[in-house]
Amino acid sequence: MYKLIQEYSEAELIQLVWDRENVQEVMNRRVYLSAAEGRERELGELWVSGREYQETASFGKNWGYYIGMAEIRRYYVDKRGQDMRKLLDAMCTARPELKDESPGYGCMSLYPLTTPYIEIAGDGRTARGLWYSIGQETTGNPKGTAKAYWIFQRIAADLVKEGEAWKIWHLAEIFDAHLEPGEDFRVQPRVLPKEEQPVEREFGEPTLKMLTHDARYNWLDGYPAMPEPYYSFKSSDSYGPEGHPHYYREVLAK
Amino acid sequence: MNRNLRLAERIRNAAATQEAENVHARHAYLHACGDGSAEIATIWYKSPKTIWSHGFFATAVGWNEIWYNHAVYNDANPICDFPAYMLQYPEIAGKDPRPLMCIAMHVLANEIIEVADDGNTARAMFLTPGILISHINSNGLKFAEWQWERYGADFICDNGKWCFYHELVCPDHVPSFDSENYAASSYKELTAREETERIGESAGGFAPKNEEIPRIPGKFTIQGCIHKKFSPIQPVQNTVPWPEPYSTLDDANSYAPGYN
């Protein structure tokens, strides 16, 4: 809360409650759409649509950010769609009866949200939230087996109100660890080459490449920070690239 | 929820419910990076009746004692262990040891939150199917374990700011993540009691501590176990029942009777 609770009028309080619940619902819907291979629909319905916001939207992970909705689409929808199509085509070679199935067949991608921490800006126009996800990513293959990972990550988001609807503006999925089911994490090498790091490999080539979080040292670098009460949005405090503490070093100083 | 509140009271209590959730989330994220001092200083009620209880062993009474255990004691342990970590990973020299030790992420789920009719306090129960993971360890290995617990918390609105008043932490089981059959391990503990009691630890946890380094002891006013971790012979436990609608915090409506 930006003010002490007794400093809010009834109208302000109910608006705050309403906004926070709606922000949570947007993020929850994202989880369901992502799990149902509905990324195209997710970008269309849950992400910003106004031009000024589309140009500055971002999707970040430990290795950088995709900036602008066109770039986000290139990674999040187009690349995923191509990968899933290629996988289904390979499966159809072995099992032609799968030809009518949808891309994503044999795969499961689920990142439920817990531990919500949401702050609504004092001016009511933006919101910031942090969640923790113990999720999993399972990918089938033409042999009929599958590769699975538990994925532990923080999910941080800035949302903006367009009209009366809350929309995702900046999203950062900051990964802590992955673990194959049934494997003892102790025996996993501490440093994996990129080709063996499934999450980094999947993220591809972002618009802005930078190390946003080094998972090898747990939460030492403190990114992403928890939301704090705030009055109005500033890009330098956001979950977009300009809000990263090393943005100046990585981008502006080069 | 009490269905007989006036509209203004319902609005106030709905906002308070969300604030209680935020406060507990703030605890979770600060705890995950080992920042006990920031947590206790900013979101715990400064009172001699404030309680923090760990179901397995003891209860700290009063803000000062909670500060001692969660800031002083919890800060001291990483400092004592830091030299052993630096031998494994020399590049961490000069860094803050607290977030390096592990990510103790007690995620929050399944919340049931009641705000008092008078709007001054709130009570909440959470389930936490959490994890403890680390990429570094004094023995050079990673580790990951589940930390499934239940929380019962009373919150108080202190001059317009919500903070913890009482909290009970009740672990249910802490097995190594995905590499241990915890039921089989529990059976083995029962039938081989002379082996190390694995309370709060698992085969995949922290490396053994260097016993030559003196450590400050914890300080708890009330000793004793109030909750048992999983065992094949455990009775049904409801140590932190969900809160019922209530008018004001008192000994009948509190996770810490006698401290209200």
Side-chain angles (χ1 to χ4, degrees), chain A residues 95-146:
Chain A
R95 296 175 59 197
E97 69 272 21
L98 296 179
K99 65 177 174 55
D100 293 327
E101 294 293 342
S102 304
Y105 181 88
C107 300
M108 182 166 63
S109 174
L110 195 53
Y111 297 94
L113 300 177
T114 71
T115 326
Y117 190 176
I118 301 170
E119 287 285 347
I120 307 294
D123 66 8
R125 296 175 59 189
T126 61
R128 305 190 73 200
L130 183 64
W131 293 262
Y132 203 83
S133 179
I134 300 174
Q136 60 80 37
E137 191 75 39
T138 308
T139 309
N141 66 49
K143 295 183 224 174
T145 57

Side-chain angles (χ1 to χ4, degrees), chain A residues 19-247:
Chain A
D19 284 339
R20 192 178 179 284
E21 289 301 316
N22 276 281
V23 163
Q24 181 65 56
E25 190 172 299
V26 167
M27 296 302 289
N28 288 348
R29 285 176 188 264
R30 178 179 180 261
V31 173
Y32 283 110
L33 281 176
S34 165
E37 294 298 329
R39 295 183 176 200
E40 176 80 59
R41 185 177 164 191
E42 177 196 325
L43 291 196
E45 291 182 14
L46 304 183
W47 283 70
V48 289
S49 55
R51 185 173 174 180
E52 59 170 307
Y53 298 123
Q54 289 210 329
E55 288 173 357
T56 53
S58 65
F59 193 131
K61 288 199 180 184
N62 298 42
W63 307 278
Y65 300 88
Y66 287 92
I67 302 172
M69 287 307 291
E71 279 284 278
I72 294 170
R73 176 177 295 281
R74 173 172 75 83
Y75 155 63
Y76 193 60
V77 175
D78 298 345
K79 180 178 180 298
R80 174 78 175 184
Q82 285 158 16
D83 290 345
M84 291 295 105
R85 182 80 251 168
K86 194 171 155 188
L87 177 61
L88 183 62
D89 288 345
M91 288 177 172
C92 286
T93 304
R95 296 175 59 197
E97 69 272 21
L98 296 179
K99 65 177 174 55
D100 293 327
E101 294 293 342
S102 304
Y105 181 88
C107 300
M108 182 166 63
S109 174
L110 195 53
Y111 297 94
L113 300 177
T114 71
T115 326
Y117 190 176
I118 301 170
E119 287 285 347
I120 307 294
D123 66 8
R125 296 175 59 189
T126 61
R128 305 190 73 200
L130 183 64
W131 293 262
Y132 203 83
S133 179
I134 300 174
Q136 60 80 37
E137 191 75 39
T138 308
T139 309
N141 66 49
K143 295 183 224 174
T145 57
K147 189 77 170 169
Y149 293 100
W150 293 104
I151 307 273
F152 308 126
Q153 60 186 7
R154 280 164 290 175
I155 296 175
D158 297 316
L159 292 91
V160 63
K161 210 182 231 185
E162 292 188 327
E164 283 302 309
W166 284 96
K167 298 293 177 86
I168 300 169
W169 188 9
H170 308 116
L171 187 76
E173 292 183 344
I174 303 302
F175 152 89
D176 283 328
H178 74 280
L179 193 153
E180 283 194 62
E183 178 186 283
D184 190 340
F185 195 51
R186 287 175 294 179
V187 303
Q188 187 190 81
R190 185 159 170 264
V191 179
L192 284 171
K194 183 176 176 179
E195 53 272 17
E196 292 179 42
Q197 222 291 27
V199 185
E200 184 176 3
R201 209 172 57 234
E202 186 275 343
F203 194 52
E205 300 294 317
T207 319
L208 170 61
K209 285 187 196 172
M210 61 181 281
L211 184 65
T212 65
H213 171 62
D214 190 344
R216 296 175 301 165
Y217 299 101
N218 302 329
W219 285 11
L220 177 66
D221 57 31
Y223 185 78
M226 280 187 299
E228 299 287 346
Y230 71 111
Y231 183 75
S232 63
F233 175 82
K234 283 193 287 192
S235 60
S236 55
D237 288 335
S238 73
Y239 290 125
E242 292 175 35
H244 192 280
H246 296 158
Y247 179 73

Side-chain angles (χ1 to χ4, degrees), chain B residues 93-112:
Chain B
K95 307 294 184 195
D96 184 344
R98 297 172 300 166
L100 278 167
M101 293 295 114
C102 71
I103 303 169
M105 189 62 217
H106 298 285
V107 303
L108 299 174
N110 227 97
E111 66 275 9
I112 297 173

Side-chain angles (χ1 to χ4, degrees), chain B residues 5 12-13 114-122 246-249:
Chain B
L5 296 179
R12 177 201 65 199
N13 283 11
E114 288 285 344
V115 180
D117 294 349
D118 64 14
N120 291 331
T121 61
Y246 68 112
S247 58
T248 192
L249 194 73

